[in-house]
Amino acid sequence: MYEWSETDLMIREAVRGFIDKEIRPNLDALESGEMPPYPIIRRLFAEFGIDTMAADGVEKMLATQRARESGTDSGGAGGGAGSGDGGGSGSGGGLEGQDSLMAVVISELSGACMGLVSALGVSIGLGATTIMSRGTLAQKERWLPGIVTMEKVASWAITEPDSGSDAFGGMRTYVRRDGDDYILNGRKTFITNGPHADVMIVYAKLDEGAAAGADGTDAVAARRDRKVLTFVLEKGMDGLTQSAPFKKMGLHSSPTGELFFDDVRLGRDRLLGETEEHRGGDGRESAKSSFTAERIGVATMALGIIEECHRLCVDYSRERTLWGQEIGRFQLIQLKLAKMEVARMNVRNMVFNSIERARAGKPLSLAEASAMKLYSSEAATDVAMDAVQLFGGNGYMAEYRVEQLARDAKSLMIYAGSNEIQVTHIAKGLLGR
């Protein structure tokens, strides 16, 4: 794949029309928090039929799994209700096969209001996908239809105040068994959609009592290695508190907050897979697969930032005059534009490569996705800061929007795992560790 298809380009023009009609007039309200992102996302889904496609895709997947589990399909009886992998290995949300379409939508939206993409991507790309890949048939039927259509908003809660990049080792949120139930205690932070989420995917360590291993393992090490389980919570549960949105440097249109758990009682029906011994590994494994998809998504978001900065700067270089001529005639301005074009080409080619690899059944590894995220986030931030500089004093003013793009771009170097931790994942992939 070296360019968008004709269908992709038609979708792109339609999305741009939606952005001009629905998003740009509301940017100030979205940035101030006066308007939440979810009504606009739902209008986008309705206008482009994404909600219908997603609902149909999920229902077909569920019907296939029902047939397999009842032994009525040609493949014979599948695994039991707890197998949790029926049709769930795709990209999530019932939109498998629409990879380039979604890449177009994500990149275009990111160039206008990246917070919308963050809110959408976490709800479906992380929330729905985790349920789809690890949930039982009953759990998928219970939660997926509402999430994939954005009727319900999902969050994905793994990060804690003392365990950012050390997500699993430093995790302190825990559950303990209480008869057939679990009792959840702890706190999650920097949770996208957290303040408004209807459904929350929460990772917690299983506290089985003894801190040290039977062989005398150090107590701290034993706590780090405890099993991680994944639960689904819903708004309004006793003991669950959702904070107000944080004030942030960027991504103002994406509500971010904290979740607090105080003796939240969870039935086994809320444990994804309904078993502690999931054949795909514990919660660490499901999170790692989500990390890969999330980091590829960051590159697509970065592409949107780069392309919008590129467009604004080219137009401004033609219109703005200094010393009697267009500033685009000055070599230093040309250098900035040239570097933006190189970044645009590189990141776009990375996105195209990831789409082709997925279509060929050879998806990127975690290390490759980390490399993609590392480069694209740095490129987007550099381009956005150069855009502010090219606009001069105007670039520092919110009216010209490159200021917003610069603030949003910086989040990509922290979002989905800081760039410093990406270096570690890339090196481990190279060294085979």
Side-chain angles (χ1 to χ4, degrees), residues 235-256:
K235 179 182 290 186
M237 294 181 68
D238 289 343
L240 167 66
T241 301
Q242 298 170 251
S243 78
F246 288 144
K247 293 182 179 179
K248 309 191 297 289
M249 174 181 173
L251 288 181
H252 291 171
S253 53
S254 174
T256 304

Side-chain angles (χ1 to χ4, degrees), residues 124-432:
I124 293 182
L126 294 178
T129 297
T130 302
I131 295 172
M132 188 174 290
S133 64
R134 298 185 71 82
T136 64
L137 174 59
Q139 289 172 330
K140 294 173 188 177
E141 291 174 329
R142 181 177 180 180
W143 288 302
L144 281 180
I147 297 174
V148 301
T149 58
M150 287 299 295
E151 176 187 346
K152 293 188 175 180
V153 175
S155 64
W156 192 79
I158 188 169
T159 302
E160 298 182 9
D162 297 320
S163 65
S165 296
D166 184 20
F168 301 116
M171 185 178 291
R172 295 185 180 180
T173 296
Y174 69 92
V175 291
R176 56 179 172 80
R177 301 186 189 96
D178 185 49
D180 292 333
D181 294 342
Y182 296 88
I183 305 298
L184 173 68
N185 283 280
R187 172 186 176 190
K188 300 291 183 179
T189 194
F190 303 147
I191 306 304
T192 299
N193 296 332
H196 304 293
D198 302 296
V199 179
M200 288 142 268
I201 313 299
V202 178
Y203 290 80
K205 283 193 174 177
L206 178 61
D207 184 353
E208 299 182 88
D215 60 353
T217 304
D218 177 78
V220 174
R223 283 195 296 270
R224 290 181 62 84
D225 293 336
R226 281 175 174 163
K227 183 179 297 183
V228 176
L229 302 180
T230 313
F231 294 88
V232 182
L233 279 66
E234 292 177 272
K235 179 182 290 186
M237 294 181 68
D238 289 343
L240 167 66
T241 301
Q242 298 170 251
S243 78
F246 288 144
K247 293 182 179 179
K248 309 191 297 289
M249 174 181 173
L251 288 181
H252 291 171
S253 53
S254 174
T256 304
E258 291 188 292
L259 303 176
F260 300 90
F261 316 109
D262 183 11
D263 287 338
V264 181
R265 180 170 291 275
L266 304 169
R268 187 166 285 266
D269 61 326
R270 292 186 178 277
L271 170 63
L272 279 182
E274 296 190 26
T275 175
E276 294 176 10
E277 304 300 330
H278 197 285
R279 71 183 185 186
D282 72 357
R284 288 177 172 85
E285 296 308 312
S286 71
K288 287 178 181 176
S289 65
S290 296
F291 290 158
T292 301
E294 189 180 25
R295 290 166 188 178
I296 293 171
V298 165
T300 309
M301 295 162 75
L303 177 61
I305 292 281
I306 291 168
E307 290 189 329
E308 182 68 0
C309 287
H310 181 280
R311 180 186 71 82
L312 291 171
C313 287
V314 169
D315 288 347
Y316 192 75
S317 297
R318 289 170 174 157
E319 297 165 1
R320 172 70 165 159
T321 58
L322 192 62
W323 292 304
Q325 58 183 321
E326 300 170 0
I327 63 170
R329 295 180 178 273
F330 301 134
Q331 194 170 35
L332 286 176
I333 298 296
Q334 292 174 354
L335 177 60
K336 291 186 187 300
L337 296 177
K339 286 183 175 180
M340 289 180 190
E341 175 66 1
V342 171
R344 187 187 70 84
M345 293 171 64
N346 285 342
V347 175
R348 186 182 65 176
N349 287 339
M350 284 183 169
V351 171
F352 285 172
N353 178 61
S354 70
I355 293 172
E356 283 295 290
R357 290 274 298 271
R359 288 175 177 175
K362 298 178 180 179
L364 270 61
S365 67
L366 177 60
E368 291 172 321
S370 294
M372 193 172 170
K373 191 268 188 189
L374 175 67
Y375 176 84
S376 63
S377 62
E378 290 182 349
T381 304
D382 289 344
V383 165
M385 292 305 295
D386 273 349
V388 172
Q389 193 69 23
L390 187 148
F391 271 69
N394 288 334
Y396 205 67
M397 301 297 118
E399 177 186 356
Y400 283 81
R401 294 299 172 191
V402 289
E403 171 267 349
Q404 174 199 331
L405 292 168
R407 288 186 289 103
D408 288 353
K410 181 59 182 176
S411 71
L412 296 177
M413 295 179 67
I414 302 169
Y415 187 86
S418 69
N419 278 12
E420 288 76 12
I421 204 67
Q422 307 308 317
V423 172
T424 299
H425 285 301
I426 296 165
K428 285 181 178 179
L430 294 172
L431 299 171

